[in-house]
Amino acid sequence: MDQKYLAEKYQFIKPYRSKMWMYAVRPFYYSLIRRLYQVSDFDTRHAERIKESADKGYGIIVAANHCRYSDPFVLGDISKRTSVYFYMCASWHLFATKPWQGWIINRTGAMSIYREGTDRDCLRECQRVVEEAERPLVLFPEGTFYRQNDRLGPMQDGVSFIARLAQKKNTRPIVIHPVAIKYWFTEDPTAAIEKRLCELEHRCHFHPKRGKDFVSRLEWIAGSLLSVKEMEIFGSIQTGSLDERQVKMAERVCGQLESKYFSRPKSGSIMDRIRTVRNHVVKQFTESPRESPEWYDLLYEIEDLAFAQQMFSHSWSYIREWPCLERVSETLMRLEEDLYDEETSMGQMGVVIDVGEPIHVGDYVDKKGERGGVDPITAVLQEKLQGSLDQMAAEGPPVGWPCPTKPRASVSTMAAQPANAGS
């Protein structure tokens, strides 16, 4: 993603409170989703659970996993089935980089959130929405999206933080509904994957390796791209597996900037460290004269941190343990996004949306995790989401869908592991 948008001054964009545009879009919803994201089939399970919570007057947070740009939009199927409409937080870059896009998503329920620091305006609005039970609020507890549909990325405490604030100041019950989203191809994408792998190999100045398995070709491309960045950051190509090298890259980029700005590398999870130093660099970037040498130096540091986060958020063990067409395409799309800064679907897909039983926040108000540990609400949310994803992978696609992928032979429980746990 082009990081220059961060030079623009941030201003919070409130949610558009009228439902007029919701009603206007409703007749065209499925055709729009099919055209924009090639999602043509829906299997939404237990949508009535959100309807029941809304009818009881609960303050509701809908907490979903996030693996594709289409995730916020496919959740609209719940609204279609229940006539319960949502608000949601959307990264400010969606508003800043394409104003027309921001205008549309704002009128269909989105408010902006600035990830480069604490967005107090957004937090206050989220708290108000939940406290007043105006609409269910959609949040993605991973904080960003990880292109690994079957495995959650590192969970952030934003959901539990907002839920606790709302419950402490309110006698109204506050609940969190875990919502697992799982995509399946409904047509064979093999030809599309082959074509786009060849294009990517050409782009990297390789001869296409037709006839070789997709995973080894993807690893070859990823390793080559990583090698170029290693020459810049380390001065030499590093040894070890791809997972190990990606972790080394993230650690080096983050550690160098921590030493520059905070005197020494910090401890803690790499994603939290990247977020902390990025916030510091972005603040200086916004205050620097535009297009000055200092401005460009800071821009390059922001880009390096974005690259490090992208590297760390993907595990090659994920694709090796089950090299199905969905995981192959996710990995290919991630590499394409690194090079082209855009996402293009591989083929027609169906989506399964599983709405979980409500987590009653009041049951956890007096329960706190150990200092520096995981919030109990975050822990139970993570367990429920990953459990649903594991179950859907084990079941396979819905009966009647013409899916080329079969159920997993076995499912590993990854709930307590970070996105790069395979390294």
Side-chain angles (χ1 to χ4, degrees), residues 296-327:
Y296 276 109
D297 287 343
L298 291 164
L299 175 62
Y300 299 151
E301 290 177 354
I302 294 169
E303 290 175 345
D304 283 345
L305 286 165
F307 180 80
Q309 178 172 313
Q310 181 82 328
M311 288 290 98
F312 189 79
S313 65
H314 184 88
S315 170
W316 286 91
S317 69
Y318 170 80
I319 186 172
R320 293 190 203 104
E321 70 186 17
W322 189 27
C324 61
L325 293 168
E326 285 78 12
R327 293 194 181 192

Side-chain angles (χ1 to χ4, degrees), residues 4-5 10 72 124 150 154 160 177 191 213 225 231 235 256 286 289 316 322 326 352 366 374 382 396:
K4 291 180 182 178
Y5 78 92
Y10 173 67
R124 279 193 290 266
D150 299 321
S160 61
H177 280 279
D213 67 280
L225 294 174
M231 290 298 296
Q256 285 181 337
T286 58
W316 286 91
W322 189 27
E326 285 78 12
V352 180
D366 297 325
V374 178
Q382 183 177 26

Side-chain angles (χ1 to χ4, degrees), residues 2 103 107 118 123 172 183 262 267 421:
D2 188 347
W103 189 90
R107 277 152 183 78
T118 302
L123 286 175
R172 182 196 309 276
Y183 295 89
F262 309 135
S267 59

